[in-house]
Amino acid sequence: MTRAIRHITMLTLKDLRIEARGRQTIGLVVVLAVLIVVVLALGLGSGGGSGGLTATAILWVAYLFGGVLIFEKTMAVERHDDALAGLLLAPIDRGSIYAAKLLANLVLMFALALVVTPVGIMFFQFDLSVAPGGFALVMAVSMIGYAAVGTLFAALTSSTRLAGGLLAMLVFPITLPVVLISTRVLANLFEHGTSLAGSGLALLIAFDLMFLAASWLVFDVVLEA
Amino acid sequence: MTARLTIQHADIPRFTQAGAIEARTGQSDSRRVLRLAQSESAAMLPAVHAVGVHKVLDDRPILRDLTFDVPAGCYAALLGANGAGKTTLLRLLSTLTTPTRGELEIFGRNSRRQGALIRAGIGLIGHQSMLYRDLSALENLVFFGRLHDLSEPGVRAMDLLDFVGLVDRAHDPVKTFSRGMVQRVSIARALLHEPRLLLADEPFAGLDAPSVDTVERLMAQLNEQGMAVLLANHDVRQSLRLAERVLVLRKGRLALDAAASELTVEQVLREIEQR
Amino acid sequence: MKSARVRIVGPVYGIVTFCLLAAVTGMMVWWTPREETMGDVQKVFYIHLPAAINTFVACFVVFICSVMYLLQRRSWWDDLGFAAAKVAVLLASIVLLTGMIWGRSAWGAWWQWTPRLTFSLILWLLYVVYLMIRPSIESSQRRALICAVYGVIAFMDVPLVWLSTKLLPDIHPKTISMAPEMRLTLLAWFVPMTMLAAGLIVTSMRINRLQRAASEPAEELDEPRLVPAGGQA
Amino acid sequence: MNATQYAILAYAVSFILIGGFAMWSWLEHSRLTRSGRGRGGF
């Protein structure tokens, strides 16, 4: 177990080090996400919607597209020069490779959220101070589920041409429930002041657990061929 | 550098940047790059033992009914036209994929059930470098060394970089290297865990003459120290010069399996090209 | 021998299904009583529900095939899964469209974000994507693998989609009190609809097998040739 | 449009979809079997 944790830490740090060295992904993703928020803000005539729900929905669009780009880029690092084969030849569990990739993706997604969320809040006059903790919690739990699915499919599609478009096609419909639940939960939280203990958050956690488990099981198979 | 290191530059010539070789004065011949063959009784088992191996990819048979042995410590060349199945065979031997039918054993270990054990005993040099281009040569080797649970990955990595003659470039990112240098780092990467079988997939492709010479010599040295080498190659003349055994694949079938000394270039070419 | 049997069984099955479908349609039009508040549009229900149930069955077949493919790596499972996905999308389209038409009549709007409509829309999207990604992956092995993983994950997603849509406000009729004749008609509709789904899956499967065989480089195949399936006479 | 017309529309749409799919399958199947390149059904 400690061996697996050591491997996961090493693999994650390797990904983050490569990212830190090139900073190719995060810059691109942040700019894309900010662009999406700006385009939608202009399209909606700045604050045309009713506060909370619009802001979270638009943030979700930014996260979704940014996320796809992150998943694709971090997996491209492995496919470039076939470094993935090097990992597969090492005596490590394939699940560790998945876990590490997921962690690296999550770190990048949280970094993205840290930049884009204030921008969205600013453009949509969204009062976060009502429940900042709840907002962060719901978004974090949702992102874990999204990244769990995204990491799995990024590994699957990275060897095909069209990797990016294909990945978005595969991941968006599957993660629709996450978007649906988190926007509903946040709408309830901000507009009606309902507590988070309701069924929504539990559903999100169920989604996370289910797809983490499924991805862990399937990942072994995915990297072959 | 102390005596407990696995790799010493004792009887190993050092390579300069240009690829030329300057032999160093030897110390004691007990120090070797690889501590293999001599100690292990398992070394008596053939490095590769294939019986009726089939591989189907995309509904196309790539390899058909391959039955052959490569003895431990043997330097074998795998020849064949493009698409004959050389790369697929090496991927099978390195357990990156499993055979569709048939049995494959590497040092007596079944490729389907004992993949992890096999991986501990083989090194693969692929078409691509299998390195992270944004990391330095040393970082790459230390990273993969840690994945292989080496006790002192840093020391081992420096020794191997010394072996392939790249110590002075250890801290430069791999993306700044020439093709020949990348190939040498690849070889170092494949040797990290002291494998007993080296699989090399066209390691000379795209290298300039001095680099080819360097890589040739590195592989010959490793073979002398007891490592079995399976070299997939398309240069017949070179393969006959380097290897003891020659295997020819044609359309996924084994067309020829003979000692290199008994073969002429023309014979081998005929086997490769026969329709 | 096999081909002869297929030549007879296929059309007979098709004709029987067609006749049964015509019979239950007649039964629904002339025999089943009209519902008082909603009028004739309530009769949409007789095709809507069997189609919905068969959609789930088809999705389940996709799931089973995906799991079997991942375990065995036989192209057979991929072909069956693809066939089932096609039928699932066909049936889901029927569910979605009949639902929308009913909604237009009952609520005066083609679309309402009610749990059930949202659910059938997401379900439809999930399996349309399964079909849409296939042509863009060149390697048949890669395609089968991606689709198999997707087939597993998508099916696991279905209950979560259902639960998540429950968070939306609902104006859907929850329980419908049905006259005995209505119940009988509904039951009768299940027979041809299920036969139709099964027949279409089997036919699509045969098409997929034939297409795969046709696209293979036949001269390079080692395996013994099988007897041609279709009539060459 | 009244309720009856909506019901007719719904059934028409459904039957067109089913019929279209069945017809396409049948045509495709006979085309593939007639071309003679097909090997083994199931």
Side-chain angles (χ1 to χ4, degrees):
Chain A
M1 195 61 205
T2 48
R3 201 168 149 263
I5 289 169
R6 204 177 68 235
H7 287 152
I8 293 170
T9 334
M10 258 167 53
L11 287 161
T12 314
L13 289 177
K14 178 265 300 169
D15 274 341
L16 295 177
R17 177 186 280 183
I18 290 175
E19 176 55 32
R21 207 148 288 180
R23 276 185 296 278
Q24 289 159 334
T25 310
I26 197 70
L28 204 66
V29 169
V30 165
V31 172
L32 173 79
V34 170
L35 269 175
I36 289 172
V37 172
V38 171
V39 166
L40 288 176
L42 287 174
L44 290 169
S46 63
S50 58
L53 208 53
T54 320
T56 46
I58 282 165
L59 283 176
W60 257 117
V61 176
Y63 296 158
L64 286 177
F65 281 95
V68 164
L69 210 57
I70 289 173
F71 306 149
E72 192 205 333
K73 283 264 178 188
T74 54
M75 201 47 85
V77 166
E78 305 296 344
R79 291 288 179 186
H80 216 126
D81 295 328
D82 207 11
L84 184 61
L87 296 187
L88 296 181
L89 286 171
I92 51 170
D93 187 47
R94 310 261 159 112
S96 305
I97 301 180
Y98 172 76
K101 211 35 114 182
L102 175 63
L103 281 176
N105 283 334
L106 273 175
V107 169
L108 293 179
M109 277 206 83
F110 289 151
L112 165 74
L114 225 55
V115 180
V116 178
T117 312
V119 175
I121 288 168
M122 195 178 69
F123 281 152
F124 290 92
Q125 287 102 42
F126 172 47
D127 186 13
L128 191 65
S129 62
V130 177
F135 179 84
L137 180 66
V138 171
M139 280 302 187
V141 173
S142 311
M143 275 187 187
I144 292 172
Y146 180 52
V149 178
T151 308
L152 173 69
F153 281 106
L156 266 171
T157 55
S158 64
S159 63
T160 58
R161 289 191 281 128
L162 294 169
L166 206 55
L167 182 58
M169 278 276 274
L170 289 166
V171 171
F172 287 173
I174 286 176
T175 44
L176 267 176
V178 172
V179 179
L180 185 62
I181 300 166
S182 74
T183 46
R184 294 308 304 183
V185 169
L186 287 177
N188 284 340
L189 185 65
F190 281 89
E191 282 165 16
H192 313 298
T194 339
S195 82
L196 269 180
S199 61
L201 194 65
L203 262 180
L204 281 178
I205 293 170
F207 185 97
D208 288 5
L209 292 178
M210 209 162 111
F211 286 103
L212 281 173
S215 305
W216 185 286
L217 286 175
V218 174
F219 201 70
D220 213 22
V221 168
V222 161
L223 294 176
E224 283 173 23
Chain B
M1 304 272 164
T2 58
R4 77 192 139 79
L5 303 183
T6 322
I7 291 218
Q8 289 291 326
H9 11 275
D11 40 8
I12 304 150
R14 215 175 110 219
F15 304 93
T16 62
Q17 211 72 30
I21 297 159
E22 51 175 295
R24 296 181 88 217
T25 46
Q27 291 150 10
S28 91
D29 54 6
S30 64
R31 295 162 166 183
R32 294 180 155 236
V33 172
L34 302 151
R35 299 172 300 191
L36 14 110
Q38 67 267 55
S39 61
E40 304 223 10
S41 60
M44 300 313 288
L45 288 163
V48 179
H49 177 61
V51 181
V53 168
H54 267 265
K55 180 68 186 177
V56 179
L57 273 176
D58 284 340
D59 298 312
R60 282 186 183 79
I62 307 290
L63 296 175
R64 309 184 223 191
D65 199 26
L66 294 186
T67 301
F68 66 94
D69 275 15
V70 175
C74 175
Y75 194 141
L78 181 64
L79 294 163
N82 288 335
K86 293 183 303 244
T87 299
T88 309
L89 180 56
L90 288 193
R91 286 178 64 85
L92 272 182
L93 295 176
S94 59
T95 71
L96 285 175
T97 56
T98 48
T100 313
R101 282 204 302 279
E103 289 308 316
L104 187 58
E105 284 178 6
I106 315 286
F107 293 111
R109 278 154 184 164
N110 188 287
S111 78
R112 251 182 280 259
R113 291 186 297 273
Q114 294 167 293
L117 284 172
I118 292 176
R119 282 194 282 275
I122 51 152
L124 176 69
I125 305 169
H127 271 297
Q128 286 159 302
S129 67
M130 302 190 211
L131 300 167
Y132 296 99
R133 45 180 33 218
D134 289 314
L135 300 181
S136 74
L138 184 63
E139 281 171 326
N140 264 297
L141 293 183
V142 169
F143 170 71
F144 283 110
R146 286 216 183 105
L147 286 188
H148 280 285
D149 297 313
L150 299 186
S151 54
E152 283 178 274
V155 176
R156 174 81 183 157
M158 278 316 276
D159 282 342
L160 281 167
L161 283 174
D162 188 34
F163 176 60
V164 298
L166 283 172
V167 172
D168 45 344
R169 297 293 301 268
H171 296 283
D172 294 348
V174 171
K175 65 182 169 193
T176 62
F177 285 17
S178 71
R179 180 86 180 85
M181 288 155 76
V182 170
Q183 194 63 285
R184 273 140 74 191
V185 184
S186 279
I187 293 174
R189 195 204 60 82
L191 297 178
L192 276 168
H193 55 292
E194 301 176 43
R196 292 187 291 150
L197 168 64
L198 183 68
L199 305 164
D201 194 358
E202 312 235 345
F204 308 114
L207 299 191
D208 55 10
S211 301
V212 168
D213 194 47
T214 311
V215 173
E216 266 184 20
R217 276 168 192 274
L218 285 174
M219 292 191 11
Q221 273 163 20
L222 291 165
N223 180 240
E224 271 165 32
Q225 295 177 9
M227 184 188 281
V229 176
L230 186 57
L231 164 73
N233 204 358
H234 61 261
D235 187 335
V236 176
R237 208 172 299 274
Q238 182 192 31
S239 306
L240 283 180
R241 177 162 49 81
L242 295 172
E244 310 159 36
R245 278 271 300 286
V246 172
L247 302 164
V248 173
L249 281 180
R250 189 172 64 234
K251 287 187 179 172
R253 275 184 224 281
L254 195 61
L256 182 70
D257 177 3
S261 53
E262 296 166 6
L263 295 166
T264 63
V265 174
E266 288 69 29
Q267 268 177 314
V268 177
L269 278 174
R270 214 177 307 129
E271 285 299 333
I272 292 172
E273 284 165 2
Q274 209 173 73
R275 291 261 119 201
Chain C
M1 239 171 70
K2 188 177 182 178
S3 64
R5 208 172 60 218
V6 166
R7 266 209 303 276
I8 297 164
V9 171
V12 167
Y13 185 91
I15 290 164
V16 169
T17 310
F18 181 80
C19 291
L20 280 172
L21 201 59
V24 292
T25 308
M27 182 179 176
M28 177 267 297
V29 173
W30 289 293
W31 184 70
T32 314
R34 173 180 299 172
E35 213 258 351
E36 282 140 38
T37 47
M38 282 186 277
D40 273 335
V41 80
Q42 180 270 334
K43 291 186 173 179
V44 169
F45 190 63
Y46 302 125
I47 194 168
H48 184 80
L49 187 67
I53 301 288
N54 278 305
T55 307
F56 293 132
V57 174
C59 294
F60 186 64
V61 173
V62 176
F63 172 71
I64 295 292
C65 292
S66 300
V67 171
M68 290 312 287
Y69 180 81
L70 290 179
L71 293 177
Q72 296 187 342
R73 302 299 178 106
R74 297 238 171 91
S75 63
W76 199 90
W77 291 113
D78 182 47
D79 287 331
L80 185 57
F82 180 32
K86 276 196 253 186
V87 174
V89 168
L90 172 78
L91 292 173
S93 309
I94 290 173
V95 174
L96 199 56
L97 287 170
T98 53
M100 279 168 67
I101 291 168
W102 178 87
R104 167 76 186 164
S105 176
W107 308 319
W110 290 109
W111 191 260
Q112 296 269 352
W113 288 103
T114 69
R116 278 168 209 232
L117 276 180
T118 313
F119 173 68
S120 38
L121 178 66
I122 298 179
L123 188 69
W124 183 82
L125 274 173
L126 270 172
Y127 285 87
V128 165
V129 164
Y130 182 102
L131 301 184
M132 287 298 123
I133 55 168
R134 291 186 70 92
S136 54
I137 307 162
E138 263 172 32
S139 152
S140 67
Q141 212 150 31
R142 200 81 207 154
R143 185 197 309 134
L145 181 64
I146 293 178
C147 285
V149 173
Y150 185 83
V152 172
I153 300 281
F155 189 75
M156 286 171 62
D157 211 26
V158 171
L160 284 167
V161 173
W162 174 242
L163 289 171
S164 68
T165 54
K166 285 281 190 192
L167 296 173
L168 296 167
D170 195 1
I171 49 171
H172 221 84
K174 289 222 168 50
T175 48
I176 308 164
S177 59
M178 287 196 294
E181 291 93 341
M182 290 179 175
R183 200 162 293 149
L184 191 63
T185 313
L186 183 62
L187 279 175
W189 266 88
F190 268 102
V191 178
M193 286 303 283
T194 309
M195 283 179 73
L196 193 74
L200 290 178
I201 289 177
V202 170
T203 316
S204 293
M205 169 66 176
R206 284 185 57 80
I207 293 172
N208 293 344
R209 291 311 286 173
L210 289 166
Q211 273 175 343
R212 191 182 285 271
S215 66
E216 270 168 21
E219 75 280 1
E220 279 188 32
L221 273 167
D222 249 5
E223 280 70 26
R225 292 290 193 101
L226 300 168
V227 184
Q232 271 167 306
Chain D
M1 277 187 19
N2 62 33
T4 312
Q5 284 164 324
Y6 277 120
I8 293 168
L9 176 67
Y11 276 95
V13 167
S14 305
F15 286 146
I16 287 169
L17 280 175
I18 293 170
F21 189 88
M23 189 68 85
W24 173 81
S25 300
W26 182 68
L27 286 175
E28 190 71 7
H29 186 256
S30 48
R31 186 182 68 79
L32 282 164
T33 45
R34 205 169 300 137
S35 70
R37 286 204 63 194
R39 301 176 309 116
F42 285 96

